[in-house]
């Protein structure tokens, strides 16, 4: 489990996601999750538009979404692999937070900025959960990009889309970190 007692910079230097499919219980209680979401909702948001909303998914909700993903896969003519990939995170998940990008009509703040805020909120939920000592993983998957699934699962309407589904639970084991970006390749000093 990540060390929640580290100073902020050290925590950020060491933090990493943990695969949702390998996480176990326990997972945050409602009060613990509310504390995480309160911190995460300090996310930058140009113009205070609040262009996002959150849907908390408990085990029963995740089970419903697994069945919904399967029904959508069948309706789309998908094969067993598509059904399996669609159900996967919902079958295995214990607690997740769906971040819905919900852009508002505004004459100065473009939708792209509002979607960036939703992406930042996904990362903020991830960071806050990890900082509180939980394992977390930001997932999408094909159902997230399927408008009919998003409408039925999360009530997405109009321009609303799924920015991400952040799973939060316990990761007890340890795995090698993924390779991290080489500054020389991605940073230009102008
Ligand atoms: C928008 C978005 C969607 C993602 N969807 C998935 C996914 O569906 N499945 C997956 O294995 N990883 C997915 N990832 C990758 C993981 O969330 C994560 O970036 C990776 O495990 C390494 O995370 P870390 O840098 O926090 O350790 C996604 C990442 C982003 C930013």
């Amino acid at each position: 489990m990540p060390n929640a007692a580290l100073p902020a910079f050290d925590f950020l230097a060491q933090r990493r996601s943990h695969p949702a499919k390998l996480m176990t219980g326990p997972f945050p209680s409602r009060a613990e999750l509310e504390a995480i979401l309160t911190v995460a909702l300090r996310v930058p948001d140009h113009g205070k538009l609040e262009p996002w909303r959150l849907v908390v998914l408990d085990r029963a909700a995740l089970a419903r979404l697994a069945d919904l993903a399967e029904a959508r896969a069948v309706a789309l003519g998908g094969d067993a692999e598509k059904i399996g990939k669609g159900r996967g995170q919902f079958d295995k998940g214990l607690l997740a937070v769906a971040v819905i990008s919900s852009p508002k009509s505004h004459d100065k703040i473009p939708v792209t900025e509002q979607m960036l805020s939703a992406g930042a909120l996904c990362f903020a939920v991830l960071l806050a959960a990890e900082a509180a000592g939980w394992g977390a993983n930001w997932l999408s998957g094909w159902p997230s990009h399927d408008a009919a699934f998003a409408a039925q699962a999360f009530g997405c309407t109009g321009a609303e889309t799924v920015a991400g589904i952040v799973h939060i639970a316990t990761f007890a084991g340890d795995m090698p970190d993924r390779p991290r970006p080489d500054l020389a390749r991605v940073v230009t000093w102008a």
Side-chain angles (χ1 to χ4, degrees):
M1 201 180 250
N3 185 347
L6 286 174
F9 196 84
D10 293 341
F11 161 74
L12 290 171
Q14 294 179 26
R15 64 141 299 277
R16 49 159 307 186
S17 296
H18 291 99
K21 61 186 172 201
L22 299 181
M23 288 198 279
T24 61
F27 51 83
S29 66
R30 183 178 179 132
E32 288 167 331
L33 185 59
E34 281 177 347
I36 289 166
L37 298 183
T38 301
V39 168
L41 283 164
R42 297 176 66 90
V43 65
D45 158 21
H46 191 180
K48 299 188 277 292
L49 297 180
E50 301 185 1
W52 17 251
R53 57 185 179 83
L54 302 173
V55 182
V56 177
L57 304 166
D58 65 8
R59 193 49 234 138
L62 288 161
R64 286 196 300 276
L65 294 195
D67 290 344
L68 185 58
E70 175 160 351
R72 271 306 288 157
V74 170
L76 291 166
D79 56 11
E81 187 185 352
K82 187 168 179 102
I83 293 172
K85 285 198 167 150
R87 291 193 63 103
Q89 67 167 305
F90 304 119
D91 273 335
K92 292 180 191 124
L94 297 169
L95 177 73
V97 179
V99 178
I100 310 302
S101 166
S102 186
K104 313 297 182 231
S105 180
H106 196 279
D107 56 347
K108 293 197 185 69
I109 301 172
V111 167
T112 44
E113 282 195 13
Q114 300 185 47
M115 293 179 84
L116 286 170
S117 180
L121 179 54
C122 292
F123 192 42
V125 172
L126 190 84
L127 284 182
E130 290 170 344
W134 300 100
N137 196 190
W138 174 359
L139 299 183
S140 51
W142 72 256
S144 297
H145 305 301
D146 181 77
F149 179 88
Q152 289 173 63
F154 307 121
C156 289
T157 57
E160 287 190 332
T161 52
V162 178
I165 302 172
V166 182
H167 290 256
I168 306 170
T170 297
F171 188 82
D174 211 2
M175 293 176 63
D177 195 9
R178 67 187 294 188
R180 296 295 168 174
D182 172 10
L183 257 67
R185 195 159 38 83
V186 297
V187 179
T188 304
W189 298 79

